[in-house]
């Protein structure tokens, strides 16, 4: 080191106490963060934090020496933007993020147009699986439609300690479990459901002499989906933390025995009380009178949720409901309190709940279970460390957990099970799992269709509604729902 460099270092080290205090505070914060995260390799960057305040060997503000005012102005903005993006990245990853309710699956508890603060710290923030990602963008840049993350490096699942554990009936934000493989042009229904129906229809048309297995159906379906590129588009893969965010109510916890009987939830054979916001779809027939838009709005039925049956095209359904095709038949979701109100409306003659057949096939697809949207189970919800005896009956229920979520090979041959090439009759779960459902029970794609939510998919807990916009109204006609501001969004 030259005498000039030594003198410069002494000058830097003799900085005003204010710089030392700043350096000390930020170094302590950085060390505490590393202890929380548990990755002590990051301590190697501690000298860099110190250098930014005191020694300044790295020319962090080299651009400030320029005499070009335009360049100084541009770099000033760049510096501010980079700092903001880094701050937002860490805030979004470890503390909280914004989330907008896109669909009606949780109405009337959370409404379409509600904007939520989602706490990452409540259940413990995850260390990112894909650390190299752009903040504020989940997986795809808008407009240019390119990935907003780099797939490598991929870090293993780790969750930091939070303030609480998920409780039954909590509203939870999580990554969509079957959103790992996505046809970009047709994402609803998900890839696996699309493959199932495409494969089933393809094999049925081929007049096979035997009933196809679920593996045969899915293999045929994958070929059809990939062949129909004009309809499904490119097939992309997304890591766990880059999958779509969903928000539902947790109705089943690890270790629970879960069941639905005639739209009623039972946990460990005990009936669960319905929340006031729970609603189901109903068909409502009048004596010929019209239910006005004003009446339906006062009831709380959004325009998107209203429809009427067409007697010409839906005659079989009308006959099944036991209603008269010549009179108006309305279709919309109702809570218990809304149902009681509509019964008292003059002219309403008959009300029928939507039949379970309207819900389509449910989890597990091709599992040969006599289950439907309104009646399913009992289902054991896996708990970390619990051991399950495998059978042909329960294999379709837990197959995806064993193969996909917990990364094992699984083969069934001649009634025997081989996991990672070892014959076994049992499997011990490595993670906790949850059962999530929407409050708008007949208009919710949830665990009844795609199964369990693994613990490594949990994002956080909605804390409050900070903004709510009604898409059915104008800006000067009640679009902003002021009465929903600061509403508790967690239960």
């Amino acid at each position: 080191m030259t005498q000039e460099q030594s003198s410069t270092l002494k000058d830097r080290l003799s900085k005003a106490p204010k710089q030392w205090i700043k350096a000390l505070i930020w170094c302590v914060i950085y060390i505490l963060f590393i202890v929380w995260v548990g990755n002590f390799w990051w301590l190697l960057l501690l000298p860099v934090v110190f250098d930014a305040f005191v020694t300044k060997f790295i020319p962090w503000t080299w651009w400030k020496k320029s005499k070009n005012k335009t360049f100084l102005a541009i770099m000033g903005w760049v510096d501010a933007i980079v700092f903001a993006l880094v701050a937002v990245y860490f805030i979004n990853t470890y503390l909280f993020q914004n989330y907008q309710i896109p669909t009606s699956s949780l109405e009337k508890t959370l409404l379409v147009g509600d904007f939520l603060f989602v706490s990452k710290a409540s259940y413990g923030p995850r260390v990112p699986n894909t650390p190299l990602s752009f903040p504020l963008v989940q997986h795809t840049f808008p407009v240019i439609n390119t990935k907003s993350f780099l797939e490598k490096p991929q870090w293993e699942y780790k969750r930091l300690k939070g303030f609480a554990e998920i409780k039954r009936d909590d509203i939870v934000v999580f990554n969509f479990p079957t959103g790992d493989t996505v046809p970009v042009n047709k994402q609803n229904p998900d890839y696996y459901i699309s493959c199932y129906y495409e494969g089933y229809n393809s094999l049925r048309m081929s007049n096979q002499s035997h009933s196809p297995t679920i593996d045969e159906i899915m293999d045929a379906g994958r070929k059809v989906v990939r062949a129909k590129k004009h309809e499904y588009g490119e097939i992309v893969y997304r890591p766990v933390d880059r999958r779509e965010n969903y928000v539902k109510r947790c109705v089943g916890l690890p270790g629970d025995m879960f069941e639905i009987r005639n739209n009623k939830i039972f946990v460990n054979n005990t009936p669960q009380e319905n929340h006031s916001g729970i609603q189901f779809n109903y068909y409502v027939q009048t004596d010929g009178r019209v239910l006005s838009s004003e009446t339906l709005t006062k009831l709380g039925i959004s325009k998107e949720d209203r429809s009427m049956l067409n007697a010409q095209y839906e005659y079989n359904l009308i006959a099944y409901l036991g209603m008269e095709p010549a009179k108006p038949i309305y279709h919309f979701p109702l809570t218990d309190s809304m149902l009681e109100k509509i019964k008292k409306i003059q002219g309403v003659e008959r009300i029928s709940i939507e039949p379970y057949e309207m819900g389509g096939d449910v989890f597990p697809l091709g599992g040969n279970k006599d289950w439907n949207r309104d009646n399913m189970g009992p289902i054991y919800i896996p708990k970390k460390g619990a051991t399950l005896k495998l059978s042909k009956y329960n294999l379709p229920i837990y197959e995806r957990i064993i193969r996909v979520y917990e990364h094992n090979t699984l083969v069934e041959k001649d009634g025997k099970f081989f996991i990672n090439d070892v014959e076994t009759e049992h499997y011990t779960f490595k993670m906790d799992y949850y059962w999530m459902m929407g409050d708008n029970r007949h208009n919710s794609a949830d665990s009844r269709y795609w199964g369990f939510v693994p613990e490594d998919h949990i994002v956080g807990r909605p804390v409050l509604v900070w903004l709510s916009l009604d898409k059915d109204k104008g800006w000067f006609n009640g679009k902003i729902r002021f009465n929903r501001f600061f509403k508790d969004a967690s239960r």
Side-chain angles (χ1 to χ4, degrees):
M1 181 181 296
T2 67
Q3 185 176 357
E4 184 180 347
Q5 289 174 325
S6 177
S7 176
T8 303
L9 178 59
K10 287 179 181 179
D11 290 340
R12 290 171 177 172
L13 291 174
S14 62
K15 289 282 185 183
K18 185 170 70 172
Q19 292 300 103
W20 281 89
I21 292 171
K22 285 183 179 179
L24 179 63
I25 291 172
W26 280 105
C27 285
V28 169
I29 291 173
Y30 184 66
I31 292 170
L32 291 175
F33 176 76
I34 289 170
V35 171
W36 187 39
V37 172
N39 189 342
F40 292 96
W41 284 104
W42 289 102
L43 284 172
L44 295 174
L45 294 179
L46 188 59
V48 177
V49 178
F50 181 79
D51 177 75
F53 292 95
V54 181
T55 53
K56 297 189 177 180
F57 284 123
I58 301 174
W60 300 98
T61 57
W62 58 271
W63 52 272
K64 290 184 178 180
K65 296 178 181 179
S66 174
K67 295 180 181 180
N68 187 315
K69 292 183 179 180
T70 302
F71 179 74
L72 286 172
I74 293 173
M75 289 305 299
W77 278 104
V78 171
D79 183 68
I81 291 171
V82 170
F83 178 81
L85 288 176
V86 171
V88 166
Y89 176 85
F90 279 95
I91 290 171
N92 269 8
T93 301
Y94 295 102
L95 296 177
F96 63 84
Q97 73 177 70
N98 174 57
Y99 181 79
Q100 181 185 359
I101 298 293
T103 68
S104 63
S105 69
L106 269 171
E107 292 200 10
K108 298 297 189 212
T109 307
L110 295 176
L111 308 182
V112 173
D114 281 351
F115 290 78
L116 314 176
F117 276 131
V118 177
S119 168
K120 299 286 189 73
S122 290
Y123 303 132
R126 293 175 302 183
V127 174
N129 300 108
T130 49
L132 299 181
S133 61
F134 196 84
L136 299 177
V137 183
Q138 181 62 15
H139 50 68
T140 306
F141 283 112
V143 183
I144 58 177
N145 292 323
T146 59
K147 285 194 305 184
S148 63
F149 61 93
L150 297 180
E151 293 183 3
K152 293 181 180 180
Q154 277 288 306
W155 292 350
E156 292 185 1
Y157 166 64
K158 181 178 181 180
R159 187 175 297 277
L160 308 182
K161 187 171 179 58
F163 300 120
E165 294 182 352
I166 298 176
K167 298 181 179 63
R168 186 174 294 108
D169 292 330
D170 278 0
I171 293 177
V172 180
V173 177
F174 56 92
N175 296 118
F176 183 34
T178 55
D180 52 348
T181 308
V182 181
V184 294
N185 290 353
K186 190 175 181 180
Q187 301 183 29
N188 187 22
D190 68 53
Y191 171 75
Y192 298 97
I193 294 176
S194 294
C195 287
Y196 177 78
Y197 285 123
E198 291 283 13
Y200 181 83
N201 291 330
S202 173
L203 293 177
R204 186 180 62 177
M205 295 293 291
S206 65
N207 297 318
Q208 290 198 72
S209 59
H210 70 285
S211 298
T213 65
I214 183 62
D215 287 338
E216 290 173 333
I217 292 173
M218 295 301 291
D219 286 343
R222 290 186 188 96
K223 293 176 182 177
V224 174
V225 168
R226 293 181 183 277
K228 292 184 176 180
K229 197 163 186 177
H230 62 285
E231 179 179 348
Y232 289 96
E234 182 185 1
I235 310 297
V236 299
Y237 171 80
R238 290 174 182 161
V240 171
D241 59 342
R242 296 296 103 197
R243 296 170 192 172
E244 292 287 356
N245 287 330
Y246 272 38
V247 58
K248 307 287 180 186
R249 187 181 297 278
C250 178
V251 294
L253 296 172
D256 282 346
M257 189 62 73
F258 181 86
E259 189 174 2
I260 304 175
R261 307 175 195 167
N262 295 321
N263 288 313
K264 185 74 174 177
I265 289 176
F266 287 75
V267 175
N268 302 323
N269 212 31
T270 301
Q272 303 299 296
E273 183 178 351
N274 276 347
H275 292 266
S276 58
I278 300 293
Q279 56 183 9
F280 301 95
N281 286 346
Y282 290 87
Y283 293 97
V284 178
Q285 184 162 59
T286 67
D287 58 5
R289 301 180 217 196
V290 174
L291 297 178
S292 69
S293 178
E294 182 182 2
T295 298
L296 297 179
T297 299
K298 285 182 178 179
L299 278 170
I301 303 169
S302 68
K303 292 179 181 178
E304 186 178 358
D305 285 339
R306 307 171 194 172
S307 63
M308 291 184 67
L309 294 190
N310 186 309
Q312 180 179 358
Y313 298 107
E314 297 172 289
Y315 183 83
N316 291 336
L317 173 59
I318 294 172
Y320 182 84
L321 295 171
M323 295 183 173
E324 299 179 37
K327 297 178 180 178
I329 302 173
Y330 297 85
H331 180 237
F332 38 63
L334 299 169
T335 63
D336 287 345
S337 62
M338 293 163 65
L339 178 61
E340 292 306 312
K341 289 177 183 178
I342 206 165
K343 286 178 180 178
K344 297 175 183 177
I345 293 177
Q346 193 171 11
V348 171
E349 285 189 338
R350 186 182 179 92
I351 302 175
S352 294
I353 194 167
E354 183 181 276
Y356 69 81
E357 291 91 344
M358 304 295 291
D361 292 324
V362 297
F363 174 82
L365 289 175
N368 297 318
K369 306 287 184 288
D370 190 21
W371 295 352
N372 56 64
R373 176 193 63 186
D374 302 339
N375 296 273
M376 63 188 313
I379 304 170
Y380 173 74
I381 302 176
K383 183 179 178 65
K384 183 178 180 179
T387 298
L388 175 80
K389 184 172 183 179
L390 298 173
S391 67
K392 282 194 173 184
Y393 177 83
N394 64 32
L395 182 63
I397 300 173
Y398 303 106
E399 180 180 16
R400 183 170 174 82
I401 288 179
I402 297 171
R403 283 181 172 169
V404 180
Y405 302 145
E406 302 196 351
H407 312 293
N408 301 284
T409 61
L410 170 63
V411 176
E412 180 195 3
K413 186 176 181 181
D414 299 328
K416 297 179 180 180
F417 301 98
F418 297 84
I419 296 179
N420 300 325
D421 299 323
V422 177
E423 183 180 350
T424 182
E425 293 183 348
H426 300 86
Y427 182 76
T428 300
F429 297 101
K430 302 173 186 175
M431 287 193 291
D432 286 331
Y433 291 83
Y434 302 87
W435 194 267
M436 306 286 187
M437 287 174 57
D439 288 355
N440 196 358
R441 293 288 160 81
H442 287 167
N443 292 310
S444 175
D446 51 38
S447 286
R448 292 170 296 175
Y449 295 93
W450 32 255
F452 307 101
V453 177
E455 67 171 77
D456 67 345
H457 284 56
I458 300 297
V459 173
R461 178 181 185 178
V463 178
L464 57 84
V465 177
W466 65 271
L467 175 66
S468 186
L469 303 177
D470 189 337
K471 60 183 176 60
D472 290 341
K473 297 182 179 179
W475 286 105
F476 301 104
N477 187 32
K479 187 175 188 67
I480 302 176
R481 305 185 187 108
F482 290 102
N483 64 323
R484 293 190 63 78
F485 282 27
F486 309 113
K487 177 188 180 298
D488 182 3
S490 62
R491 297 185 74 82

